[in-house]
Amino acid sequence: PPMSPGEQREAFQTAFREGLEGACGLEVIQAVHERLTAKIEEHRETKDPEPLAVTAKDVAAILRDCGAEDTQVDTFCAKCGELFGEGAALSPANLIDSKRFQIKAGEITITVKPELSGQVESRVLEGRKYLLIPAGEGVEVNGLAVELEAEPAGKI
């Protein structure tokens, strides 16, 4: 029987995780999400009656553009073939949530509009890993405006 959208998303994430092993960085996920979201938007704008579909090879091209190694891309494609069938056409809307970009770190969840996901960065500062989000004017916490104090250089 065909996979449900949730099952497809889970299988895609498994192929992604296993294919890229330890090289599945924030930037790679941002790039895949951005490109698949762009495909969904382009398809919506053209009003093409044919359903939009991508294959593992389409995603593999994005991974190569992001600098993934050939062995990782090959592992990703093989895992997709195992989970979906060789050359399976998949709906990008079943693989990603094109309306939000969600990041979880332990007990903290951050949801960002997909078009702004590139503003989230990962950095190592003083030996600790951080996700950084630029904070300009208009910062609110639980609906209340807050003032962010500037810290001395090197402090967070």
Side-chain angles (χ1 to χ4, degrees):
M3 290 180 166
S4 72
E7 290 170 327
Q8 286 182 26
R9 184 171 291 160
E10 190 174 307
F12 178 73
Q13 290 172 348
T14 297
F16 206 86
R17 187 172 41 254
E18 290 181 13
L20 295 182
E21 298 167 358
C24 187
L26 178 62
E27 294 78 14
V28 172
I29 294 171
Q30 285 170 323
V32 170
H33 196 275
E34 276 179 21
R35 298 236 192 126
L36 292 180
T37 297
K39 283 184 179 286
I40 292 168
E41 286 302 313
E42 287 172 22
H43 186 263
R44 186 176 296 133
E45 288 173 6
T46 62
K47 298 181 180 175
D48 186 348
E50 290 296 315
L52 176 62
V54 296
T55 65
K57 290 186 180 190
D58 295 329
V59 177
I62 298 169
L63 295 175
R64 279 193 178 88
D65 288 347
C66 293
E69 296 177 15
D70 287 340
T71 55
Q72 293 169 322
V73 174
D74 292 344
T75 302
F76 168 79
C77 287
K79 192 65 180 177
C80 282
E82 177 185 314
L83 294 169
F84 299 112
E86 289 299 320
L90 304 167
S91 169
N94 291 347
L95 305 179
I96 63 163
D97 183 346
S98 64
K99 303 219 185 300
R100 71 183 177 133
F101 188 83
Q102 189 175 70
I103 303 164
K104 290 185 179 185
E107 298 294 317
I108 298 171
T109 301
I110 301 168
T111 303
V112 179
K113 289 181 181 179
E115 62 271 15
L116 301 175
S117 69
Q119 291 187 20
V120 180
E121 298 178 39
S122 61
R123 295 250 179 98
V124 176
L125 302 171
E126 296 180 5
R128 291 185 63 191
K129 297 176 186 176
Y130 289 92
L131 292 173
L132 301 176
I133 303 169
E137 298 299 317
V139 175
E140 294 182 9
V141 176
N142 295 331
L144 298 172
V146 296
E147 294 293 324
L148 299 178
E149 296 181 28
E151 294 289 327
K155 298 259 183 173
I156 292 183

